[in-house]
Amino acid sequence: MPDFQSILRTIYNSATSQIEKGRVATYIPELAKIDINNFGICLKIVGGESFGVGSFNTPFSIQSISKVLALAKAIELVGESIWKRIDVEPSGHPFNQLALLEVENGIPRNPFINSGAIVIADILLSNLKDPKTDFLNFVRDLCGVDDINYNTSVALSEKHTGFKNYAAANLLKSFNNLENDVEDVLDFYFHQCSLEMTCSQLSNTFYFLANDGYCLKNKLRLTRSQVKRINALMLTCGFYDEAGEFAFEVGLPGKSGVGGGIVALLPNNFILTTWAPGLNKKGNSLLGMTALEQFTTNTKLSIF
Ligand code: GLN
């Protein structure tokens, strides 16, 4: 087995010496407070050990990474029927773009752009008894720990400035693609995005997607075919208008968030999570993308 700890250390040292670190997201005011110098990497081997460097045990705002977990919960609850309300095509546009949604009659391109994730939030709201608590318990259970929480200041901060998400939700409502009230759906969505987790917790939580649907506790969470579909969507849509670039550079299914996190995985092999809050122009973590590229290039471990 390669010496993963020293591979991660080398990548960490080379990435942190990079002068250009990108920019921390400021459109959610609470996120602007994060120190850009944080950088963590955690590798979890399927059926094996974990390796970590830097701030891999520091909780951060997972933001859009939560969209994968929300999708998994929606599939668990209502199965394939969700695809009547959301498509499975890359958008080729930023995560908060609205134009396509109007042209395509309120059917979001995929569940990882904001409009698609808002429809998923609506599905969870309709099908969970106590949506915020039940979703939190779902994530805690997948991860195997109890100390994962929403950050209500971040959720509130986004509520005050989330004008585009309000626009998307209203547009969806006008096309009859939201069952619940706009306010209720967005309140859930902003909380979902505000979840705080560490790199290490994210690697453990995403374990089931690298392990044919079996989570860390060896419990079957989704079928193999459902897992295949979620991984396919991460590969084609996980990085918005940079999904092609991520597949080209890294060659793994993955999902980013504007908090600076990225989770990527190689089915039946590993889950690799990075956190560096400085973002590139497309809203994806600059150092995270660099680190993941170096990892798959150095180890030759990718799906291609
Ligand atoms: N909560 C953020 C938003 O809706 C999530 C975006 C992201 O992480 N790309 O804008």
Side-chain angles (χ1 to χ4, degrees):
M1 193 169 78
D3 183 352
F4 286 122
Q5 190 62 42
S6 96
I7 293 170
L8 293 191
R9 176 56 59 192
T10 308
I11 291 171
Y12 178 88
N13 290 343
S14 104
T16 43
S17 64
Q18 210 172 287
I19 293 164
E20 179 51 48
K21 290 195 165 53
R23 295 193 163 193
V24 171
T26 51
Y27 77 100
I28 301 174
E30 275 297 303
L31 292 185
K33 298 177 182 169
I34 306 301
D35 180 359
I36 195 165
N37 295 310
N38 280 294
F39 184 37
I41 313 178
C42 177
L43 173 72
K44 169 89 193 146
I45 307 293
V46 172
E49 281 175 79
S50 296
F51 306 88
V53 287
S55 343
F56 72 103
N57 276 324
T58 307
F60 63 90
S61 196
I62 73 166
Q63 292 298 320
S64 284
I65 296 172
S66 68
K67 292 170 179 170
V68 182
L69 303 172
L71 173 64
K73 186 67 198 171
I75 292 176
E76 183 191 281
L77 286 166
V78 300
E80 306 298 308
S81 68
I82 65 172
W83 306 121
K84 289 189 192 126
R85 296 175 60 185
I86 308 170
D87 208 343
V88 292
E89 293 297 336
S91 70
H93 287 283
F95 57 85
N96 55 7
Q97 205 244 23
L98 294 169
L100 271 181
L101 187 61
E102 165 120 67
V103 178
E104 295 178 353
N105 301 318
I107 302 294
R109 273 284 170 113
N110 65 67
F112 297 152
I113 51 173
N114 287 9
S115 53
I118 290 169
V119 173
I120 296 288
D122 184 55
I123 292 171
L124 295 184
L125 228 58
S126 298
N127 289 281
L128 293 173
K129 266 207 191 93
D130 187 354
K132 280 190 234 171
T133 307
D134 295 350
F135 182 67
L136 190 58
N137 286 336
F138 170 71
V139 177
R140 288 175 172 177
D141 190 41
L142 276 176
C143 185
V145 296
D146 286 336
D147 67 341
I148 295 170
N149 287 298
Y150 300 119
N151 181 326
T152 43
S153 314
V154 171
L156 207 64
S157 176
E158 186 167 9
K159 193 178 182 132
H160 291 144
T161 56
F163 307 113
K164 280 203 135 184
N165 285 326
Y166 275 94
N170 279 297
L171 212 46
L172 288 165
K173 190 80 182 167
S174 78
F175 283 109
N176 289 322
N177 203 1
L178 279 195
E179 289 174 356
N180 299 281
D181 284 347
V182 164
E183 279 296 338
D184 295 341
V185 177
L186 288 181
D187 179 63
F188 177 84
Y189 171 74
F190 294 144
H191 277 83
Q192 168 203 313
C193 289
S194 82
L195 269 180
E196 291 194 331
M197 295 172 74
T198 67
C199 290
S200 157
Q201 288 171 342
L202 278 167
S203 287
N204 289 342
T205 304
F206 274 66
Y207 193 88
F208 74 110
L209 292 175
N211 192 36
D212 294 335
Y214 288 88
C215 70
L216 259 185
K217 294 175 192 160
N218 212 23
K219 188 168 137 196
L220 187 65
R221 309 304 306 234
L222 291 180
T223 67
R224 201 176 166 150
S225 130
Q226 288 168 330
V227 163
K228 178 189 79 178
R229 290 188 166 158
I230 295 178
N231 287 339
L233 284 167
M234 283 203 282
L235 183 76
T236 53
C237 313
F239 296 80
Y240 319 110
D241 44 342
E242 210 171 25
E245 179 77 16
F246 191 80
F248 185 79
E249 298 285 349
V250 180
L252 294 174
K255 185 73 203 83
S256 64
V258 290
I262 298 179
V263 181
L265 59 93
L266 181 61
N268 305 116
N269 276 273
F270 64 79
I271 308 97
L272 183 57
T273 304
T274 59
W275 174 47
L279 308 178
N280 64 19
K281 289 203 172 76
K282 307 266 168 115
N284 298 314
S285 170
L286 192 84
L287 294 193
M289 298 251 315
T290 308
L292 285 154
E293 186 278 323
Q294 287 183 5
F295 183 85
T296 55
T297 302
N298 294 353
T299 59
K300 301 185 179 62
L301 293 169
S302 97
I303 61 169
F304 298 111

